[in-house]
Amino acid sequence: MERYIKKMKNLRNNLLGYTLVLPAFLIYGLIVLLAVFQNFYYSFFKFTNITSYEFAGLDNYINMFKDKVFYTAIGHNLLWAFMIIILLFLFLTIAVFLSKIKSRTILGAIYFLPATIPFVVSAIMWGWIYNPNFGILQSIADLLKLNFLRQQWLGDPKLAFYSLFLIGVWTYFGFTVIIFLSALQNIDRSIYDAARIDGATETKIFFHITLPAIRNTLSFLIVFSIIMSMKVFDIIYVMTQGGPGYSTEVMSTYIFKLAFRGQNIGYSSAISIILIILVLSLAVTVLRRNQKE
Amino acid sequence: MKKTFIWLFLFAFILFSILPFIIVIFTSLKTNQEMYANVLAPPSSFYLDNYLFVLSEAKFYLNFLNSLYISIPVVISISVLSTLAGYAFSKINFWKKNILFFIILIGLMLPLPSIIIPIYLNLAKLGFLNTRIGVILTQIGIDLPFAIFFMRSFFNDVPNEIIESARIDGANDLQIIMKVMVPLSKSSLGALSLILFMWSWQSYIVPLVIITDNNLRPLTVALTDFVGRYITAYTYIAAASVLIFLPITILFIITQRRFIEGITAGYGK
Amino acid sequence: MKTFKMLALFVIVVLMMIMGVSGCKDTETSTSTAVEETAESEESTTETAEPEEQQIVLKIWDMYTDVGHGSGGEAMETLIDMYKKANPNVEIERTVIGSENMQDQVSLSMAGGTMADLVETWPACGVLSGYAQDGEVYDMTDKAEEFGWFELMNSYLMLECSTKGRLYGLPWEFDRPVIYYNKTIFEELGLSEPNNYDDFITILDTIKADGKYDPITIGNGNRWPICNLYDEIRAVTVGKEKVSDLFFGDADWDDPEFVEAWTILLDWIEKGYFIDGFNGVKYGDSNSNFIMKNAAISIDGSWILSNLVEAEVEGEFEVGVFPFPMINEDLPPTSLAGSGANWIISSKSAPEVQEEAMNFLNFILSDEAAQIWIDGASVIPGYSDIDWDRFTVDPLMAEVYEINEGKEDTTWSHVTVPESVAETLYSTFQSVAGLTMTPEEALNQIEEDWEEAKAEGRVWNPLQ
């Protein structure tokens, strides 16, 4: 009898669960998953243009490992992710400071403001800021006699990547500050008070109380940042198209150019598959590690 | 002393985040001569001709409506679908639930350029090319994983006892969702809707590829065309830019307190 | 809470509005098409004896929007209306697609089988020949001969639209390279138009030494401008024969003479003739430098002329033009010519629709139509030996074509090679301009890709 009830309950749960998930899964599957499978399929073909292709086995995957641009692109993605993760601690500092003042919500909102901007608009804004001939930074340099602001922000191959990264930070940091802030506010005040009575310094409190308490938030943001960094596309494509040369090329821009301009859809699909595997494994590794701790 | 330092630090980031806005808004209110004379200076008067030009000449109102026609159905459908799916993933134990959720999470990690060509070809077969429905469907598919993930994390924080007691009162699952979960998740759902609205408002590559007809295009795509045509008319471009981000930014400013509460409830601890 | 309720209310109201509006629209269009359909079927039943009167729907894509100077949208509408009036049985459905997006849309829609019947796109040469090899575009040759297009149009541009001796496109925008200069600045510095390359260098050195203005504005953020400039220097250094050898013969991209052309360009860069940070400046911003009188010279093409003329009025200075002087004066004068935009017809359309499309093209080539087009879009169709009395044209516009008249024409590389090679070209040339790669390395890499494309038969081959 008990088993029967359990079985019925299982059946009921399965039925209910699948009914609720089905509509979402159908659209997702039809639009996105199907496209991923097609990608996987295409990755074994050599395209001479968008309509004609022939089976090529693993050629695309083998070619990838000989492709210098591919390595450059992947390196840029990893560098982007690495820098964002380092900067997370700066954003955490902002959140800690915010949690100490009254007008924290409104400041959090101001920090989030750039994320509301369509990237086609931010590309225009930052295009003016960086313009080396009559741009905003140039004018500020003239006004305040700050010569270090006189740079070829997007034209210098050594600098362009970091200029774009700054735009990435601009749109992203507000989000992380808000998430950190909420995690901080969930920490029990009395622990702090107790620590202070025991004479702990602010730094000690931060490392021994605050940081452990927000560990989950931190690992969530690290995973989220990795995903964002591996996907980064829009702003780079609109501002530099991966240039000068390959100095701002990332995997997404390379994929886009190969698929649309190079008409090399098989190869671009192979890179997409590798990119998906890479992101998944990075995300899973970080999450696993966090769970162990 | 310490307080001043904190404020200085925070103020630097305020400047960082709003300076670009101020410059664009200033530029949009200047005449071309004024803009060429000094990019940094505030406008000398409240000059609105740029806006009038953009609205009348460039037919931006049409693109504005298109953006709405695309964004609103996207927000509503995703909100409904992700509430249902998020509830199921969070509160119901069904067969292979974790694998299914993992498959949905993969969608979070896909770069758009890698799937846009197959999507285009599939929509062509369905006859959805050059229609708003095509863009809406694609946008839903792309944003759903995030929304489901978000709603699931929120529902995870809702204690099971609430559901149990509702069940004892004789409510079925649909009633639980409608009468218990939705009211509880109001602020999270609100925040999610705003994020989704933002994303579909900002969306560029999807409508660019799927819609060919200029009369069906949303603002973002129209803007790049506009910039291509008026390559040197910065004041017009600034006015057009302001018109594009203003609705969403105002919406955010009105709802910011709720938004921040809601988003933190969703991401939780 | 209140704001949220308001918000919800707002959303609902808007949603209802949309449902209402789109619903109305749908029914409207569906009823009207239904009416048309019935009318059509009636027609076809009653008038089967006269097949000429059959209703033809011609779908057109073009790149001319309504906004902006010289955008041509209105002129296009006028031409379509004129054609419809003369041919009442033809219905034309026009869709505007931005020029930046057209190339992607064409290749995507060919794969999806959704391309319009008649499309105005770019570029010709390698890309168009790709479409032709895949059998995606209609062969215009026979009809074109009947219409006399081969006499009417510039033979070089017609070649750009041909593959293996067959014509697949109609050259609709005649592109020429131009050096624009600010007459006011030239007067201020006591300069005049150069007669030869040495003169030109002296002018650049003088402006540089004076220091008030940058000599040349160029915006390589879009990656093609430096390719264009290299092509010009290459053309006037090695001549037409050698360039033709590259595209149709045995010459290699990394041929010493081609490397030499890059060395000249590198020399310009190192001498600081260009604006600061030119390698990351967008094309539009580069034009602004010219209009804002930051730079004295802009090396560009005929396509931007109408924008500059408009700005000229506003900026209160006068624009002058001169051709790129020959660097190797032993060669006959050489210039570049290109089909900036060309009409193609889908091979998948019905034969009667294809024929109607050809008729439409022949109509817009008539003097009357072309004048409307020149006035509205500031674009010169690819006619041979343009007789400037035939049309009323802005004098500066006429000058742009006259200074290049009678020269040997060669072509721009990035619109000649297949797209995959063009990508390499853009990236490597930008690296060379950023001094992170040598010309040899760049040209080597392009040569590799070029040979691969050649082996796969993807390169442009206009003659049999």
Side-chain angles (χ1 to χ4, degrees):
Chain A
M1 190 63 193
E2 211 170 89
R3 260 183 76 183
Y4 175 75
I5 292 175
K6 205 173 170 198
K7 214 173 173 184
M8 276 312 287
K9 205 178 165 200
N10 267 343
L11 189 69
R12 201 194 70 97
N13 275 348
N14 281 340
L15 208 65
L16 186 69
Y18 276 92
T19 321
L20 291 178
V21 171
L22 197 67
F25 204 80
L26 218 59
I27 295 189
Y28 169 71
L30 200 68
I31 299 288
V32 178
L33 273 189
L34 187 62
V36 176
F37 284 124
Q38 280 163 298
N39 241 319
F40 188 63
Y41 176 75
Y42 291 160
S43 72
F44 299 106
F45 289 84
K46 179 169 176 55
F47 283 65
T48 42
N49 69 51
I50 204 165
T51 43
S52 60
Y53 45 87
E54 57 191 44
F55 187 69
L58 287 172
D59 279 7
N60 287 323
Y61 291 95
I62 295 164
N63 287 341
M64 200 185 307
F65 294 101
K66 290 184 261 174
D67 184 353
K68 273 188 210 143
V69 183
F70 171 72
Y71 287 117
T72 314
I74 216 171
H76 283 146
N77 278 111
L78 292 174
L79 180 61
W80 189 290
F82 177 74
M83 292 196 299
I84 277 279
I85 290 171
I86 298 292
L87 282 183
L88 278 181
F89 290 93
L90 174 69
F91 308 151
L92 177 58
T93 319
I94 301 176
V96 170
F97 284 173
L98 274 189
S99 67
K100 290 182 200 297
I101 61 169
K102 271 219 181 75
S103 38
R104 56 179 92 95
T105 321
I106 182 76
L107 285 195
I110 290 175
Y111 293 155
F112 189 79
L113 222 47
T116 64
I117 300 277
F119 76 90
V120 281
V121 175
S122 23
I124 291 171
M125 288 178 176
W126 284 89
W128 292 347
I129 292 174
Y130 283 146
N131 187 302
N133 314 115
F134 48 84
I136 308 299
L137 285 176
Q138 187 76 18
S139 308
I140 294 176
D142 289 345
L143 197 72
L144 304 175
K145 305 269 174 296
L146 294 170
N147 268 331
F148 72 91
L149 287 178
R150 248 183 263 276
Q151 298 287 344
Q152 303 181 9
W153 297 102
L154 297 172
D156 183 347
K158 287 182 218 69
L159 202 61
F161 182 76
Y162 301 97
S163 306
L164 292 177
F165 179 74
L166 189 69
I167 308 177
V169 170
W170 181 69
T171 50
Y172 185 62
F173 88 103
F175 170 74
T176 63
V177 169
I178 290 177
I179 303 289
F180 275 133
L181 186 59
S182 75
L184 290 174
Q185 281 171 307
N186 280 327
I187 303 173
D188 194 350
R189 289 279 121 195
S190 56
I191 304 176
Y192 284 118
D193 297 337
R196 283 208 185 88
I197 291 167
D198 290 348
T201 61
E202 287 293 320
T203 7
K204 260 205 174 137
I205 290 176
F206 179 78
F207 281 107
H208 289 105
I209 299 173
T210 314
L211 215 49
I214 60 159
R215 209 188 65 205
N216 281 344
T217 308
L218 191 62
S219 73
F220 162 76
L221 279 177
I222 288 176
V223 173
F224 199 75
S225 302
I226 290 174
I227 293 174
M228 285 306 184
S229 309
M230 301 312 280
K231 279 168 67 169
V232 60
F233 170 69
D234 303 334
I235 199 75
I236 294 183
Y237 193 73
V238 173
M239 299 224 42
T240 64
Q241 298 178 48
Y246 298 106
S247 61
T248 58
E249 197 81 81
V250 290
M251 287 175 84
S252 294
T253 56
Y254 193 43
I255 289 169
F256 191 84
K257 283 198 270 188
L258 281 172
F260 278 86
R261 294 292 142 73
Q263 302 291 355
N264 206 343
I265 296 167
Y267 188 44
S268 85
S269 298
I271 297 181
S272 307
I273 296 296
I274 293 294
L275 175 56
I276 293 166
I277 292 172
L278 188 75
V279 182
L280 266 181
S281 48
L282 274 174
V284 169
T285 318
V286 176
L287 285 176
R288 276 261 168 81
R289 239 192 124 138
N290 183 54
Q291 258 165 11
K292 259 187 215 153
E293 281 168 19
Chain B
M1 182 58 212
K2 209 170 125 198
K3 207 102 205 181
T4 351
F5 171 73
I6 288 180
W7 267 106
L8 262 174
F9 183 81
L10 295 176
F11 186 72
F13 281 93
I14 293 180
L15 219 60
F16 175 54
S17 59
I18 62 170
L19 203 63
F21 286 81
I22 293 176
I23 287 158
V24 172
I25 293 171
F26 277 5
T27 308
S28 72
L29 294 169
K30 287 179 185 175
T31 62
N32 240 343
Q33 276 79 6
E34 231 183 316
M35 138 95 203
Y36 283 155
N38 188 349
V39 247
L40 288 178
S44 58
S45 64
F46 210 63
Y47 180 77
L48 286 175
D49 282 16
N50 296 322
Y51 287 96
L52 294 178
F53 176 84
V54 170
L55 282 173
S56 61
E57 185 96 340
K59 294 190 187 154
F60 257 43
Y61 65 93
L62 212 70
N63 306 107
F64 184 87
L65 287 179
N66 285 332
S67 282
L68 272 186
Y69 293 164
I70 290 169
S71 303
I72 290 174
V74 168
V75 171
I76 292 174
S77 349
I78 297 188
S79 302
V80 173
L81 293 176
S82 64
T83 306
L84 298 180
Y87 176 79
F89 279 123
S90 168
K91 297 294 178 205
I92 301 170
N93 268 319
F94 56 90
W95 187 67
K96 299 286 181 208
K97 160 174 142 174
N98 287 333
I99 292 181
L100 213 58
F101 187 62
F102 184 74
I103 292 175
I104 286 194
L105 279 191
I106 290 177
L108 260 180
M109 302 168 191
L110 295 175
L112 190 52
S114 65
I115 49 172
I116 194 73
I117 288 184
I119 289 178
Y120 177 95
L121 297 176
N122 297 340
L123 290 177
K125 287 194 190 100
L126 293 170
F128 282 153
L129 278 190
N130 204 15
T131 59
R132 294 192 200 101
I133 298 282
V135 179
I136 291 169
L137 275 180
T138 311
Q139 198 68 40
I140 291 175
I142 290 168
D143 290 346
L144 250 179
F146 172 80
I148 293 175
F149 172 77
F150 185 93
M151 288 318 286
R152 174 181 169 270
S153 344
F154 174 79
F155 289 138
N156 275 346
D157 289 345
V158 176
N160 285 333
E161 291 78 38
I162 298 182
I163 299 170
E164 289 310 321
S165 67
R167 208 163 264 152
I168 288 163
D169 290 345
N172 63 29
D173 280 83
L174 202 65
Q175 283 167 325
I176 291 174
I177 295 176
M178 293 309 294
K179 301 246 170 74
V180 182
M181 299 311 257
V182 169
L184 268 177
S185 63
K186 218 185 248 166
S187 61
S188 281
L189 213 49
L192 179 66
S193 307
L194 189 70
I195 292 180
L196 294 171
F197 189 72
M198 249 162 52
W199 284 352
S200 40
W201 194 265
Q202 296 171 350
S203 168
Y204 173 70
I205 298 289
V206 173
L208 180 78
V209 170
I210 293 173
I211 294 186
T212 40
D213 190 348
N214 259 6
N215 291 328
L216 293 175
R217 292 189 148 182
L219 279 170
T220 44
V221 182
L223 178 74
T224 45
D225 264 5
F226 185 79
V227 174
R229 288 283 158 199
Y230 291 88
I231 39 180
T232 55
Y234 296 104
T235 51
Y236 291 160
I237 293 173
S241 305
V242 172
L243 286 177
I244 291 179
F245 74 69
L246 211 60
I248 198 122
T249 308
I250 287 180
L251 197 65
F252 170 70
I253 290 169
I254 296 172
T255 58
Q256 42 97 2
R257 194 167 275 273
R258 292 259 145 211
F259 174 77
I260 289 173
E261 274 168 29
I263 205 171
T264 51
Y267 281 108
K269 301 95 220 179
Chain C
M1 195 89 314
K2 218 169 184 183
T3 40
F4 253 82
K5 265 187 192 155
M6 290 289 286
L7 198 69
L9 198 68
F10 169 76
V11 167
I12 290 166
V13 169
V14 173
L15 193 72
M16 285 168 83
M17 255 163 50
I18 292 163
M19 300 266 183
V21 170
S22 54
C24 284
K25 258 192 194 157
D26 279 351
T27 48
E28 235 173 72
T29 47
S30 60
T31 48
S32 64
T33 46
V35 169
E36 267 169 21
E37 265 165 40
T38 47
E40 232 175 273
S41 57
E42 263 170 43
E43 233 175 300
S44 55
T45 47
T46 52
E47 294 177 295
T48 36
E50 287 171 293
E52 293 91 353
E53 280 308 299
Q54 196 187 359
Q55 193 80 15
I56 285 176
V57 179
L58 183 61
K59 285 194 185 126
I60 295 186
W61 288 356
D62 68 66
M63 299 186 276
Y64 298 96
T65 57
D66 291 335
V67 295
H69 189 74
S71 50
E74 265 177 61
M76 198 72 225
E77 292 285 346
T78 316
L79 293 180
I80 288 175
D81 285 344
M82 281 167 70
Y83 188 76
K84 280 202 289 200
K85 213 171 251 176
N87 304 274
N89 63 325
V90 180
E91 182 53 45
I92 295 181
E93 287 172 14
R94 171 174 180 247
T95 302
V96 182
I97 298 173
S99 57
E100 305 242 323
N101 195 24
M102 184 55 99
Q103 209 181 328
D104 296 343
Q105 279 297 342
V106 167
S107 58
L108 276 172
S109 64
M110 279 175 177
T114 49
M115 196 174 80
D117 306 310
L118 178 61
V119 179
E120 188 233 12
T121 180
W122 69 283
C125 303
V127 175
L128 178 56
S129 100
Y131 304 154
Q133 281 175 23
D134 299 332
E136 296 285 352
V137 281
Y138 165 80
D139 182 345
M140 299 178 171
T141 322
D142 299 337
K143 265 283 181 187
E145 258 164 22
E146 194 187 316
F147 289 145
W149 286 1
F150 289 100
E151 293 78 51
L152 182 68
M153 307 304 285
N154 178 296
S155 57
Y156 187 76
L157 297 190
M158 289 296 261
L159 220 52
E160 289 200 338
C161 291
S162 303
T163 296
K164 294 190 179 143
R166 308 296 289 177
L167 182 75
Y168 292 97
L170 173 66
W172 181 240
E173 182 186 316
F174 199 153
D175 281 352
R176 279 294 191 185
V178 194
I179 298 181
Y180 297 102
Y181 71 98
N182 183 323
K183 280 190 176 169
T184 322
I185 293 180
F186 266 48
E187 266 165 39
E188 189 186 319
L189 300 179
L191 299 167
S192 57
E193 286 182 20
N195 294 315
N196 52 42
Y197 183 67
D198 289 339
D199 275 5
F200 187 38
I201 291 297
T202 316
I203 289 173
L204 294 176
D205 285 334
T206 315
I207 304 170
K208 183 76 194 167
D210 179 72
K212 193 171 165 198
Y213 308 102
D214 285 320
I216 301 173
T217 181
I218 186 165
N220 201 36
N222 294 59
R223 309 193 303 163
W224 53 263
I226 215 77
C227 300
N228 279 5
L229 183 50
Y230 170 76
D231 290 342
E232 283 185 58
I233 293 180
R234 185 179 64 187
V236 297
T237 315
V238 306
K240 180 193 171 97
E241 293 282 310
K242 185 88 188 178
V243 179
S244 300
D245 236 20
L246 171 64
F247 289 123
F248 315 116
D250 302 327
D252 293 334
W253 281 84
D254 45 4
D255 187 289
E257 288 189 59
F258 297 145
V259 176
E260 172 63 22
W262 238 121
T263 317
I264 294 171
L265 180 49
L266 266 186
D267 190 45
W268 286 25
I269 293 173
E270 273 155 13
K271 281 186 184 154
Y273 289 158
F274 298 137
I275 52 165
D276 270 352
F278 71 95
N279 216 15
V281 171
K282 288 274 172 176
Y283 179 61
D285 293 338
S286 161
N287 285 308
S288 300
N289 274 317
F290 186 68
I291 294 163
M292 288 157 74
K293 299 175 210 162
N294 288 343
I297 293 170
S298 171
I299 303 187
D300 209 329
S302 51
W303 52 83
I304 198 67
L305 181 83
S306 59
N307 293 64
L308 290 185
V309 170
E310 182 192 35
E312 182 188 41
V313 179
E314 211 171 293
E316 291 156 3
F317 66 91
E318 218 185 315
V319 179
V321 294
F322 57 84
F324 207 100
M326 292 301 290
I327 294 179
N328 182 351
E329 288 178 347
D330 300 335
L331 296 166
T334 314
S335 178
L336 305 173
S339 173
N342 35 277
W343 290 98
I344 57 172
I345 297 172
S346 170
S347 61
K348 289 173 184 144
S349 300
E352 66 270 17
V353 175
Q354 290 171 337
E355 195 178 329
E356 201 59 58
M358 286 301 284
N359 289 338
F360 176 75
L361 292 184
N362 199 41
F363 158 72
I364 59 174
L365 285 177
S366 67
D367 279 7
E368 183 196 8
Q371 182 65 58
I372 292 172
W373 188 239
I374 292 169
D375 290 342
S378 306
V379 165
I380 305 284
Y383 294 119
S384 63
D385 300 323
I386 305 166
D387 171 10
W388 294 105
D389 299 332
R390 211 163 98 203
F391 304 109
T392 44
V393 180
D394 182 280
L396 194 62
M397 180 89 140
E399 205 184 337
V400 164
Y401 290 88
E402 276 163 359
I403 55 175
N404 286 302
E405 201 110 334
K407 293 186 177 179
E408 299 210 326
D409 291 331
T410 119
T411 185
W412 279 281
S413 302
H414 78 110
V415 289
T416 307
V417 298
E419 285 164 299
S420 58
V421 184
E423 270 308 318
T424 315
L425 188 70
Y426 293 141
S427 295
T428 54
F429 274 22
Q430 203 181 18
S431 295
V432 180
L435 307 179
T436 50
M437 201 185 247
T438 64
E440 287 90 346
E441 283 169 349
L443 293 166
N444 261 326
Q445 215 168 314
I446 298 164
E447 173 64 21
E448 258 175 50
D449 287 9
W450 174 251
E451 287 302 329
E452 198 186 315
K454 240 181 174 173
E456 286 168 5
R458 285 188 289 124
V459 302
W460 173 46
N461 178 12
L463 301 171
Q464 194 65 51

